[in-house]
């Protein structure tokens, strides 16, 4: 498996150096592996910190900036960052208004963010935490107790980020983040496995002519394998799974997310099928986002995330944001 | 080769339906295959039209919007659009101030845009044309007489688009587009082939352990094949080729562009190596853009484009833009 890298050992550090050079509006601490808003801490503002294993870019470092995260902690590929990184991020961005940790539900991340919260509080930082667990495909998988955290992370970071930017206090930002997570569900499919630099090849096998329904963002097994399906059939299965668990009465935010190697041309075509199914089910789409946002290295495939909105969530979604990976109005 | 599609015959139409649903700020004419600014024609403004084969998304449809293109014409995958599309685009966006056709140098595109220019002028539209031919890898390749047009297309569309948005007349917008092209050079590498829906598999063979230096954006052969190299070695070879042909005295715009399937993590790492080489060569980088902008379906690999700036080009680059694929300040 060929990769555009130097050696597997320096992949994350190399990427952070490249990120620093591309984004002067960020402070990228390559040695300590923390990405921060250059203007952090922002006086009077609750700060948002997230992080997780690398390999899902632009998540999370690419979502640091005004209107979204204050800092992100990248771990090794598909490996949780360590508590030291999270404490450094928290103390680096806390203005005194407190910090919200946004944690995808994987065992390592949960343990490490828990420990970091204790350590940061010992240093005088008020910390709240929200767990993202939107993936309906499986519970209690390889890396997770309960449901996995995937695409809804983007919705949580954007909407809680907008509330924090507007001056909401920590308990309100936390409550909104919980509401967004509780209102969101995701389902993903893989057409090909992903390859990690450390392994130098695919992390799982997926025979030609089959796809994995309900795959996780590290290539974790999903619900089942089937013979290859059309984009329309995949949209039906994905939304069956999502809508079995979420019955949106209000218009939804829709994320049609590429896993990494699926061309945008295919992703837009898949989005058309997702819209068809939602129309058939009577689900109204308030806003749609199509692209590669929560990726799995070079995996081919896509995921669908819905978030039931209300007036406030929609208003916060529309607020300006300026990050490398998501930007409008600034 | 698995793809997230319905059937190969409807891939482009399906993608346009999905694009229409994602971007209410655009008018997507699925039947006639034209993507336009919803507010076109914009009174008093020179209009920019581009287009080419599909499979390079977000180029060109994803670059339609204020500050960039007024319309784009998507052809079938890796196939030129037809003159009818271009004439429809030109007449749909012309405010009376004239239209600039931005044409990548591939034989089919050149012939069809030439014919479209004649037809549009018969309908009373003043048309100017600029040919983009920035790829230093080869001359007179499979699809092209002269050099191929690749990454510089983004620079031409952005900078000419900003000038048009600011009210520059047609001859000035055309002159700026020519200046940007003449000041730009690109070089690309492939780590894997791309697969077209029609073929259902790779368009060329690239053995495990080898890469293609100087590949075109349709998988056209480059300069040579070599045993796999590190990101640093690839950056050296790519910039050797570019800087042999361009000797920038002023700071450059830098595009580190993914071909489609290369993870953003790798692309940022490659960008760090490109910055290292430019520093060694004494080339100053004014602005850097890293991401998937001029893609080749699911090809793994990357390209590097430099554009020598002056004060005016840099100012126009920094002007606001609001398109699905490139956005800041609006």
């Amino acid at each position: 498996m060929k990769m555009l890298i130097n050696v597997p050992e320096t992949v994350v550090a190399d990427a952070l150096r490249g990120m620093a050079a591309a984004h002067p509006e960020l402070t990228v601490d390559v040695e300590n592996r923390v990405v921060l808003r250059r203007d952090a801490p922002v006086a009077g503002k609750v700060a948002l910190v997230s992080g997780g294993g690398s390999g899902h870019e632009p998540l999370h470092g690419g979502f640091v900036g005004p209107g979204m995260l204050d800092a992100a902690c990248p771990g090794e590929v598909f490996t949780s960052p360590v508590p030291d990184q999270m404490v450094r991020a928290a103390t680096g961005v806390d203005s005194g208004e407190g910090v919200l940790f946004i944690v995808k539900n994987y065992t390592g991340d949960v343990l490490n963010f828990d420990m970091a919260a204790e350590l940061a509080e010992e240093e005088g930082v008020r910390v709240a935490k929200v767990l993202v667990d939107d993936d309906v495909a499986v519970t209690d998988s390889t890396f997770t107790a309960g449901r996995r955290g995937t695409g809804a992370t983007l919705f949580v970071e954007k909407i809680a980020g907008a509330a924090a930017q507007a001056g909401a206090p920590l308990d309100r930002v936390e409550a909104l983040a919980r509401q967004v997570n509780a209102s969101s569900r995701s389902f993903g499919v893989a057409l090909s496995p992903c390859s990690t630099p450390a392994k130098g090849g695919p992390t799982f096998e997926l025979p030609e002519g089959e796809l994995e329904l309900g795959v996780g963002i590290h290539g974790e097994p999903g619900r089942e394998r089937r013979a290859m399906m059309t984009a329309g059939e995949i949209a039906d299965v994905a939304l069956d799974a999502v809508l079995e668990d979420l019955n949106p009465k209000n218009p939804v935010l829709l994320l049609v997310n590429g896993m990494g190697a699926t061309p945008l041309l295919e992703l837009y075509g898949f989005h058309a099928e997702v819209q068809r199914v939602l129309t058939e089910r009577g689900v109204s789409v308030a806003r749609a986002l199509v692209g590669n946002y929560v990726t799995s290295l070079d995996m081919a495939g896509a995921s669908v995330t819905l978030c039931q909105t209300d007036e406030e969530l929609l208003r916060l979604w529309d607020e300006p944001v300026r990050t490398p990976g998501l930007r409008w109005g600034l």
Side-chain angles (χ1 to χ4, degrees), chain A:
Chain A
M1 188 67 206
K2 290 169 279 187
M3 296 178 186
L4 188 54
I5 63 174
N6 289 319
V7 292
E9 293 72 21
T10 63
V11 161
V12 174
D14 290 347
L16 289 175
R17 287 191 296 123
M19 208 177 169
H23 302 293
E25 73 279 13
L26 302 177
T27 298
V28 181
D29 181 341
V30 178
E31 191 188 340
N32 294 301
R33 303 207 172 179
V34 184
V35 179
L36 310 98
R37 279 177 66 156
R38 185 166 286 283
D39 58 354
V42 180
K45 193 184 93 64
V46 167
L48 272 62
V49 171
S50 192
S54 293
H56 307 300
E57 290 68 28
L59 184 84
H60 296 271
F63 296 148
V64 175
M68 217 160 164
L69 297 178
D70 293 79
C73 311
E76 280 299 314
V77 170
F78 292 177
T79 304
S80 174
V82 295
D84 272 5
Q85 289 169 266
M86 301 158 181
V87 174
R88 191 177 291 267
T91 54
V93 299
D94 181 34
S95 69
E97 298 298 322
V99 175
L100 178 68
F101 282 172
I102 298 171
V103 186
K104 300 197 305 301
N105 189 30
Y106 299 97
T107 308
D109 294 282
V110 172
L111 287 172
N112 288 336
F113 270 108
D114 277 352
M115 193 178 305
E118 284 179 31
L119 293 169
E121 288 188 336
E122 283 172 18
E123 297 198 26
V125 179
R126 264 194 308 150
V127 177
K129 282 175 296 182
V130 60
L131 202 66
V132 183
D133 62 346
D134 54 309
D135 186 347
V136 299
V138 295
T139 49
D140 303 334
S141 71
T142 329
F143 296 85
T144 317
R147 288 194 312 226
R148 303 173 298 208
T150 59
T153 316
L154 183 149
F155 292 149
V156 172
E157 294 179 357
K158 171 65 184 78
I159 289 171
Q165 190 74 31
L170 183 58
D171 58 352
R172 183 66 196 135
V173 175
E174 178 189 358
L176 278 164
R178 285 186 198 283
Q179 182 192 342
V180 172
N181 180 58
S183 308
S184 297
R185 298 291 187 280
S186 296
F187 191 87
V189 300
L191 274 55
S192 82
C194 50
S195 296
T196 58
K199 182 151 187 193
T203 57
F204 64 103
E205 297 296 321
L206 191 52
E208 188 58 37
E210 289 184 23
L211 82 172
E212 177 86 32
L213 294 172
V215 74
I217 58 172
H218 311 92
E220 306 97 304
R223 290 188 176 182
E224 60 172 321
R225 288 190 175 181
R226 284 209 207 152
M228 191 54 201
M229 299 156 67
T230 65
E233 291 164 346
I234 293 171
D236 278 312
V237 168
L239 287 165
D240 273 347
V242 165
L243 294 174
E244 194 176 309
D245 216 64
L246 183 78
N247 186 10
K249 302 297 174 206
N250 301 337
V252 297
L253 299 176
L254 164 64
L255 171 63
V256 173
N257 172 63
M259 292 297 194
T262 287
L264 198 49
L265 187 74
E266 296 179 23
L267 218 51
Y268 272 123
F270 180 55
H271 173 238
E273 294 298 331
V274 169
Q275 289 272 357
R276 171 191 56 77
V277 179
L278 290 173
T279 301
E280 289 169 5
R281 303 297 188 88
V283 177
S284 164
V285 177
R287 304 284 184 275
L289 188 65
V290 181
N292 295 294
Y293 294 101
V294 182
T295 61
S296 304
L297 293 169
D298 63 338
M299 186 190 285
S303 63
V304 179
T305 304
L306 301 187
C307 173
Q308 173 170 245
T309 63
D310 58 23
E311 217 169 278
E312 183 178 24
L313 294 198
L314 204 52
R315 186 180 54 73
L316 290 167
W317 175 258
D318 287 339
E319 285 291 309
V321 59
R322 186 173 72 225
T323 73
L326 202 68
R327 182 165 182 170
W328 53 74
L330 283 174

